[in-house]
């Protein structure tokens, strides 16, 4: 894992803020985050609960817009996009992996993986082929017609990974992908993600687990909606200021 | 995303909740059923009325003799009105524009005999042009000729029922039948005229299949006693142009009032106008049924909206997931809208069958004619699409406008 210095910039955020409203009371989930992520980089985000990690992921994945600050994704000013363009961005360029898998239970494994391609307007035949290939990559060829609730947690997360990857995104955003898994399946998933990184996919991963974070090239620690510190080497738990 | 995909999603979601979908559809099923039943009853009545009117002839004007009361009769005699007479028959084509032909009709109920068989029939004295005027021709043989009338020949043309009763399968032409004291040679047998016997008749039409036609002159000479002098039961007037029927009727009325010395001993019937009357009655029925249909469609639509709102709430997570992987607001909106339309159209299709069944039951037991037209089916289909769109719009918009992040966070 080399230090990335001369790679192209994929993500550039300056003074990112996100304020939610609970009724009248504002909740400042992000209070000015500056961050740059390069193409092909593997970054982990750590931080206590409520520090704004998921909020950050939503912004990075174009699922949400910042209340203040600038966000450029591959040179495109995200604030200026409308719903149609934003959705297109999420669809073609971003792959989400969630802690709770977020598969649609009424659809089969195959259909779940096909879904992003359907929104991309790709023909049925091509969809089938690509979904099958990705499910083959995550070793789930024998589960194509099963429903998510018939699978184990690890299998479900592999389906979710296949779904995230099926559109060949620029970036994979994984929010606590191992959070619901036991150590062994967690390791399986981390191997999968590391494999993607080796293929050149940009990865941002949120975790509470130091062991998981250490798979990344760069680790940032967040607190109260800000970036507290950044590491470019392996860390131990006591290096985190809690 | 092309439309097939939405259809598939709609289909899946319905088949996954069969009972709920069916219950949701009920309102639309009944609403559309009522629409179909209503339209088929209306269509049947319309058809019945039209057939009736065709029987009389759409280009026809009928002048019917009116029975006068004692006092009126004295007045008529005093003024010298002769009732509907052969003079009128001859005068009409000269005075009234557009008249193609006039046929007098004089009816006399009598028994017709052949060998030892008898049939209760109705002798109709008329002229050569009768068949053309009423558009009703002999199936075999010929109708009354000018010569028959001129020489008051003893010939007759049998209605098909009478012919069957007297001659069974034999050919009656050339045979003789006995009417009162005289023998008449059969020269023709009329076509079968479809007569409706159900309750929905607009105008009473006699069963022409029991008629026996003889020359009017023969009738006066042989059949009638002197006091039943030459007034007619009816005159049938055929006009050569549809648009002239109403104006011609007006002129005809004026002319007859003059020849009848101002006595209204006749009545003018225009089949065309009867049709309009029948349609007005039908409209009242349509309004009532329409109201019932509209109310059940409204209730049905609200029911669908209710269920769809519940569905949207139930599927917030799914909406969030779809948005995260690239669904636009429009995609979500179309998905739910499509699902609603799918439900309402399915209900509509079931409703069409139910309406057809209702119509069938009505025909069976109430003996009303019903006609299920293509228009009825197309509009029922259209209505159910409309119900789906109108009542699906709000839930679909609610789903589409949902904040994807909130949706994803929900459990
Ligand atoms: N949709 C929302 N509406 C209101 N407040 C929100 C919303 N989403 C997040 N918050 C608040 O913003 C803050 C940051 O939330 P966020 O989910 O980003 O934290 P997190 O770092 O991901 O925490 P965790 O480790 O528990 O997942 C929290 O205080 C949270 O309560
Ligand atoms: Mg979180």
């Amino acid at each position: 894992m080399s230090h990335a210095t001369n790679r192209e910039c994929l993500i550039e955020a300056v003074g990112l803020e996100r304020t939610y409203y609970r009724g009248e009371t504002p909740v400042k989930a992000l209070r000015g985050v500056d961050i740059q992520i390069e193409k092909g980089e593997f970054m982990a985000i750590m931080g206590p609960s409520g520090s704004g990690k998921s909020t950050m992921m939503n912004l990075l994945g174009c699922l949400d817009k910042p209340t203040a600050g600038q966000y450029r994704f591959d040179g495109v000013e995200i604030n200026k996009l409308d719903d149609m363009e934003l959705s297109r961005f999420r669809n073609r360029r971003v792959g989400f992996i969630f802690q709770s898998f977020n598969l649609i239970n009424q659809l089969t494994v195959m259909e779940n993986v096909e879904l992003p391609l359907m929104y991309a307007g790709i023909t049925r035949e091509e969809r089938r082929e690509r979904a099958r290939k990705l499910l083959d990559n995550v070793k789930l060829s024998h589960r194509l017609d099963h429903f998510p609730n018939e699978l184990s947690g690890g299998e479900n997360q592999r389906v979710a990974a296949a779904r995230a990857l099926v559109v060949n995104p620029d970036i994979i955003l994984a929010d606590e992908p191992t959070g619901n898994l036991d150590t062994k399946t967690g390791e399986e998933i981390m191997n999968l993600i590391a494999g993607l990184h080796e293929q050149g996919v940009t990865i941002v991963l949120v975790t509470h687990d130091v062991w998981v974070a250490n798979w990344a090239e760069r680790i940032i620690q967040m607190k109260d909606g800000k970036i507290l510190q950044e590491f470019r080497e392996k860390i131990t738990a006591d290096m985190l200021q809690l | 995303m092309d439309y097939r995909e939405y259809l598939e999603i709609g289909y899946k979601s319905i088949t996954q909740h069969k009972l709920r979908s069916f219950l949701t559809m009920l309102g639309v099923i009944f609403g559309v059923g009522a629409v179909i039943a209503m339209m088929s009853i209306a269509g049947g009545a319309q058809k019945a009325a039209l057939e009736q009117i065709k029987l009389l002839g759409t280009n026809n004007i009928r002048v019917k003799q009116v029975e006068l009361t004692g006092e009126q009769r004295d007045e008529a005699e005093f003024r010298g009105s002769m009732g509907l007479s052969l003079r009128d028959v001859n005068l009409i084509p000269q005075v009234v524009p557009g008249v193609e032909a006039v046929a007098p009709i004089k009816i006399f109920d009598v028994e017709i005999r052949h060998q030892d068989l008898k049939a209760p029939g109705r002798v109709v004295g008329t002229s050569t042009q009768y068949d053309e005027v009423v558009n009703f021709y002999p199936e075999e043989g010929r109708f009354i000729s000018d010569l028959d009338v001129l020489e008051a020949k003893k010939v007759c043309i049998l209605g098909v029922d009478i012919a069957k009763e007297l001659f069974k399968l034999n050919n009656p032409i050339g045979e003789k039948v006995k009417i009162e004291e005289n023998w008449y040679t059969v020269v023709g047998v009329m076509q079968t005229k479809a007569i409706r016997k159900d309750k929905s008749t607009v105008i009473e039409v006699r069963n022409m299949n029991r008629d026996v036609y003889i020359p009017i002159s023969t009738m006066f000479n042989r059949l009638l006693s002197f006091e039943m002098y030459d007034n007619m039961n009816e005159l049938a007037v055929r006009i050569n142009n549809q648009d002239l029927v109403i104006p011609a009727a007006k002129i005809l009325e004026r002319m007859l009032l003059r020849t009848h010395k101002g006595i209204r001993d006749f009545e003018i019937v225009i089949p065309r106008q009867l049709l309009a009357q029948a349609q007005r009655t039908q409209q009242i029925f349509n309004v009532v049924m329409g109201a019932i249909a509209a109310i059940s469609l409204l209730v049905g639509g609200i029911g669908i909206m209710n269920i769809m709102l519940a569905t949207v709430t139930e599927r917030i997570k799914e909406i969030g997931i779809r948005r995260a992987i690239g669904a636009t607001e429009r995609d979500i909106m179309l998905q739910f809208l499509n699902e609603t339309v799918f439900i309402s159209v399915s209900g509509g299709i079931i409703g069409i069958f139910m309406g057809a069944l209702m119509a069938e039951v009505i025909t069976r037991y109430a003996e009303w004619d019903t006609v299920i037209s293509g228009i009825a089916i197309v509009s029922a289909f259209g209505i159910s699409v409309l119900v789906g769109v109108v009542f699906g719009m709000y839930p679909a918009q609610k789903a589409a406008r949902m904040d994807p992040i909130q949706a994803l966070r929900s459990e």
Side-chain angles (χ1 to χ4, degrees), chain B residues 25-273:
Chain B
M25 287 171 200
L26 271 182
V28 176
I29 294 179
F30 284 117
V32 167
V35 169
I36 289 283
M38 173 188 76
M39 288 183 82
S40 63
I41 290 168
Q46 172 99 349
K47 184 169 148 242
L50 267 177
E51 269 171 20
Q52 219 87 83
I53 274 126
K54 272 214 198 95
L55 233 47
L56 291 172
T58 40
N59 275 14
N60 280 4
I61 303 170
R62 296 289 178 119
V63 185
K64 292 193 170 174
Q65 176 199 286
V66 174
E67 284 305 324
L68 297 178
T69 59
E71 210 174 300
Q72 288 169 320
R73 195 166 331 147
D74 292 343
E75 171 84 9
E77 252 165 58
F78 172 74
R79 292 216 206 159
S81 168
M82 303 195 299
L84 293 173
S85 65
L86 281 176
R87 228 188 90 208
D88 292 328
V89 174
N90 293 329
L91 209 54
I92 289 170
Q94 295 169 31
V95 176
V96 182
V99 171
E100 217 168 62
V102 182
I105 299 170
K106 176 84 183 164
I107 295 172
F108 190 66
D109 283 331
V110 74
E111 228 170 38
I112 321 291
R113 273 174 282 175
H114 173 69
Q115 291 170 351
D116 50 357
L117 292 173
K118 292 185 222 167
R122 194 184 295 112
V123 177
V124 177
T126 187
S127 67
T128 325
Q129 288 171 314
Y130 175 87
D131 56 347
E132 280 167 47
V133 174
V134 301
N135 195 21
F136 177 45
Y137 297 93
E139 180 75 45
E140 281 166 65
R142 60 174 179 84
F143 201 70
I144 297 164
S145 70
D146 285 333
L147 198 68
D148 293 335
V149 180
L150 206 66
E151 297 186 355
K153 282 191 175 169
K154 288 188 283 178
V155 293
C156 69
I157 296 95
L158 301 182
V160 67
D161 286 357
I162 297 286
K164 267 191 207 129
E165 279 167 39
L166 293 183
F167 293 92
K168 311 291 178 204
L169 294 173
N170 299 326
N171 183 4
I173 293 179
E175 301 287 325
K176 286 188 177 341
V177 294
K178 197 174 186 198
I179 302 170
E180 298 277 76
E181 301 310 316
N182 290 292
W183 290 93
Y184 291 75
T185 309
V186 177
V187 295
V189 176
M190 297 306 278
Q191 300 165 323
T192 306
K193 190 106 188 176
I195 301 292
R196 314 172 49 83
K197 272 171 263 160
D198 59 39
K199 300 172 198 158
S200 62
T201 49
V202 187
I203 309 153
E204 222 181 302
V205 177
R206 68 172 197 275
N207 182 356
M208 291 157 105
N209 296 324
R210 301 203 71 85
D211 285 354
V212 174
Y213 301 94
I214 64 172
I216 184 103
S217 49
T218 315
M219 190 173 214
F220 286 129
N221 292 352
R222 310 272 171 188
L223 210 51
L224 306 172
S225 53
F226 182 70
E227 65 265 24
M228 299 164 82
Y229 67 113
D230 73 343
N231 69 348
M232 306 293 146
N233 292 83
E234 195 175 330
L235 306 182
V237 182
R238 187 176 176 83
I239 306 297
N240 60 17
N241 181 339
Q242 287 197 357
D243 303 329
L244 283 179
V245 171
I246 308 273
K250 290 213 176 88
I251 298 171
L252 179 61
E253 183 171 24
R254 252 182 280 140
M255 184 209 109
L256 288 175
L257 271 178
R258 209 162 51 237
T259 59
H260 293 208
K261 320 284 187 212
I263 306 289
R264 271 202 190 270
D265 51 4
F266 62 90
E267 172 195 25
I268 292 187
V269 179
I270 306 169
R272 224 161 236 298
Q273 285 184 337

Side-chain angles (χ1 to χ4, degrees), chain A residues 133-156:
Chain A
K133 192 165 146 267
L134 273 146
L135 283 163
D136 198 36
N137 288 353
V138 296
K139 316 235 159 13
L140 282 175
S141 309
H142 57 303
R143 292 277 189 260
L144 301 186
D145 295 322
H146 286 242
F147 288 91
N149 56 11
E150 298 165 355
L151 304 185
S152 72
E155 284 173 322
N156 270 325

Side-chain angles (χ1 to χ4, degrees), chain A residues 18 20 22 58 61 63-65 83-84 87-88 90-91 94 96 98 100 102-104 106-107 111-112 115-116 118-122 124 127 147 163, chain B residues 1-2 4-6 8-9 12 16-17 315 317-332 335 400 403-406 408-409 411:
Chain A
R18 179 65 168 98
Y20 296 107
R22 281 212 188 99
N58 290 337
L63 198 56
D64 196 10
K65 283 187 189 181
D83 171 67
M84 202 75 129
S87 302
R88 207 183 151 83
R90 285 199 296 276
N91 183 223
V94 181
F96 283 103
F98 303 94
S100 52
N102 280 351
L103 298 170
I104 297 176
Q106 287 76 26
L107 301 182
E111 288 165 337
N112 266 290
L115 208 53
M118 188 174 86
Y119 288 117
I122 284 166
R124 186 169 299 244
R127 256 155 45 193
F147 288 91
R163 181 182 65 185
Chain B
M1 223 171 118
D2 79 59
R4 271 216 326 266
E5 317 271 11
Y6 293 114
E8 226 166 89
I9 295 175
K12 264 200 197 130
Q16 267 161 9
H17 311 276
R315 284 161 59 184
K317 186 83 174 186
E318 177 191 330
I319 295 167
I321 295 170
R322 286 181 186 269
R323 295 280 279 138
I325 62 174
T328 59
E329 284 182 17
R330 192 170 157 272
D331 286 329
I332 298 296
Q335 179 191 333
D403 178 8
I405 297 167
Q406 300 283 26
L408 268 177
R409 280 163 63 97
E411 203 41 71

Side-chain angles (χ1 to χ4, degrees), chain A residues 20 22 27 29 48-55 176 208, chain B residues 406 409:
Chain A
Y20 296 107
R22 281 212 188 99
V27 180
S49 188
S51 58
K53 306 182 295 295
S54 295
T55 305
E176 300 184 44
H208 289 285
Chain B
Q406 300 283 26
R409 280 163 63 97

